[in-house]
């Protein structure tokens, strides 16, 4: 029997649940000439929801994760490589004649896909401009290409003033819809909401929340039923209480509960056994993270894990607030309707270790 839960990578088909409104919204939105900016904390399901909308839209699209890009030249070759997957080179060869630097293109015999590179030392902005112009030329206002740039906040680290250069290339384009994804709320807001930023009000801002409880509950209990003959609804409730409906951690916990149910069918408390298993598996990582926290961070994490107020005489409100902001930026803390520890198993580890 195959585990019916999936976590870590993009979820599709039977692993994907809900997000009906979001998928409809994105699919509809890209019919307009506008650009979309999608923000959420890590692993809330941005890539999955966009992948589903792209599929539904049946439009030509390419996706680049800027976290995997090392330079502007690398971004240009990755974009071009993805472009050739959508438009076979033979058909667009005539459009490459405007390139100021000729790309080196070869077929990878192992994968059959195109490898693209540029001669080193060339100004990356020229390459990028030529590649984006190629995409523009290969499309029309009626048949726009969708270009998804994931972890978009990384552009700030690629090269000084790159945001300005990129914006100036993008602003004249009429045949591309950009979907820009990011998981660092503060940086994304700074890029798109700060009047001084080149990307100020570049597109429509959309925030992705956690999955709605009712639907996620149905999804979990139906799948748990393939392993547990009764008590699935209660198990689903306990999972969602524990993870506060976080898409990734709920799937991770459900996958582990299911696994315990299969391997140890007589166990009394599969829910607790699954949590113990995950916390133990990540114990060393948690310990290392903990060692690197300063005293204020440790105090905040302890208070959050035990549900106690952060207003206390020990630290000034401004100190707590700026530490929280830093920890949110680093991904340890998320803010939805309140501040909470991002990883519920780290929260568990903190509680157990401080007992
Ligand atoms: N609609 C959904 N239905 C079921 N599970 C989901 C859904 N969306 C996300 N998940 C769960 O969350 C995990 C992360 O999803 P995804 O990679 O799409 O998120 P992300 O926001 O792009 O993450 P990252 O910040 O790492 O890029 C998935 O592997 C899956 O376990
Ligand atoms: Mg993603």
């Amino acid at each position: 029997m195959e585990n019916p839960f999936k976590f870590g990578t993009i979820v599709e088909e039977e692993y994907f649940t809900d997000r009906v409104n979001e998928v409809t919204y994105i699919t509809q939105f890209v019919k307009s000439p506008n650009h979309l900016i999608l923000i959420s904390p890590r692993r809330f399901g941005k890539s999955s929801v966009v992948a589903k909308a792209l599929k539904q839209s049946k439009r030509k699209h390419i996706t680049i994760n800027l976290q995997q890009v090392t330079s502007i030249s690398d971004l240009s070759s990755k974009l071009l490589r993805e472009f050739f997957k959508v438009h076979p080179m033979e058909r667009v060869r005539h459009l490459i004649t405007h390139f100021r630097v000729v790309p080196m293109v070869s077929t990878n015999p192992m994968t059959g896909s195109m490898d693209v590179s540029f001669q080193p030392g060339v100004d990356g902005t020229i390459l990028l401009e030529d590649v984006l112009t190629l995409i523009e030329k290969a499309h029309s206002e009626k048949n726009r290409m969708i270009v998804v740039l994931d972890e978009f906040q990384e552009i700030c680290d690629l090269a000084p003033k790159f945001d300005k250069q990129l914006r100036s290339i993008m602003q004249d384009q009429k045949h591309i819809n950009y979907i820009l994804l990011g998981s660092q709320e503060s940086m994304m807001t700074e890029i798109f909401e700060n009047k001084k930023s080149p990307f100020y009000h570049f597109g429509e801002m959309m925030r992705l929340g956690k999955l709605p409880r009712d639907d996620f509950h149905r999804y979990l209990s139906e799948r748990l039923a393939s392993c547990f003959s009764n008590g699935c609804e209660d198990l689903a409730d306990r999972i969602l209480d524990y993870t506060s409906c976080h898409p990734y951690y709920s799937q991770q916990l459900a996958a582990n509960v299911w696994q315990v149910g299969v391997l140890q069918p007589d166990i009394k408390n599969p829910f607790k056994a699954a949590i113990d298993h995950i916390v133990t598996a990540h114990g060393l990582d948690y310990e290392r993270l903990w060692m690197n926290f300063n005293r204020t961070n440790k105090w905040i994490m302890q208070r959050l894990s035990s549900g106690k107020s952060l207003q206390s005489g020990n630290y000034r409100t401004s100190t707590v607030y700026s530490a929280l902001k830093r920890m949110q930026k680093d991904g340890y803390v998320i803010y939805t309707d309140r501040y909470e520890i991002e990883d519920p198993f780290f929260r568990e580890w903190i509680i157990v270790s401080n007992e």
Side-chain angles (χ1 to χ4, degrees), residues 253 270-282 345 348 352:
L253 182 51
F271 175 74
K272 185 175 177 308
I275 292 174
D276 288 348
H277 173 77
I278 299 171
V279 173
T280 309
H282 292 96
F345 306 109
E348 184 81 29
V352 174

Side-chain angles (χ1 to χ4, degrees), residues 264-299:
Q264 297 157 269
D266 298 328
I267 199 162
K268 281 223 167 57
N269 192 344
F271 175 74
K272 185 175 177 308
I275 292 174
D276 288 348
H277 173 77
I278 299 171
V279 173
T280 309
H282 292 96
L284 282 177
D285 298 330
Y286 294 149
E287 197 169 333
R288 208 176 42 241
L289 288 176
W290 189 253
M291 306 278 270
N292 286 325
F293 282 154
N294 63 28
R295 250 185 318 142
T296 320
N297 291 359
K298 285 181 180 161
W299 181 81

Side-chain angles (χ1 to χ4, degrees), residues 126-185:
I126 291 180
L127 308 178
L128 187 64
E129 194 170 358
D130 286 354
V131 173
L132 290 178
T133 306
L134 166 70
I135 301 177
E136 176 80 359
K137 280 189 179 171
H139 287 261
S140 65
E141 272 183 65
K142 282 213 172 96
N143 173 28
R144 281 185 305 271
M145 165 76 113
I146 303 173
V147 175
V148 183
L149 299 178
D150 209 341
E151 302 298 350
F152 185 74
Q153 71 276 350
E154 299 286 321
I155 57 152
C156 303
D157 287 340
L158 270 188
K161 303 235 165 61
F162 177 54
D163 52 348
K164 206 168 165 197
Q165 294 164 333
L166 184 60
R167 174 67 216 265
S168 80
I169 302 172
M170 284 174 164
Q171 72 181 358
D172 296 326
Q173 298 189 306
K174 293 192 174 66
H175 307 159
I176 302 177
N177 284 115
Y178 285 99
I179 302 185
L180 310 176
L181 314 186
S183 52
Q184 289 211 10
E185 172 95 34

Side-chain angles (χ1 to χ4, degrees), residues 10 42-43 45-48 65 150-151 181:
I10 288 179
R42 296 243 26 216
R43 294 181 278 198
K46 296 176 294 299
S47 301
S48 302
N65 185 342
D150 209 341
E151 302 298 350
L181 314 186

Side-chain angles (χ1 to χ4, degrees), residues 307-354:
K308 288 188 186 142
S309 161
L310 292 172
Q311 249 112 42
S312 112
N314 291 11
Y315 292 95
R316 273 193 297 176
T317 313
S318 58
T319 312
V320 172
Y321 185 73
S322 43
L324 264 176
K325 284 278 148 206
R326 265 197 315 278
M327 287 161 83
Q328 193 183 354
K329 186 163 173 270
D330 293 338
Y332 301 119
V333 168
I334 55 173
Y335 183 81
T336 46
D337 48 347
R338 65 200 154 96
Y339 282 106
E340 58 187 306
I341 295 178
E342 190 259 352
D343 177 350
F345 306 109
F346 190 21
R347 180 187 66 207
E348 184 81 29
W349 182 90
I350 294 170
I351 296 171
V352 174
S353 315
N354 287 287

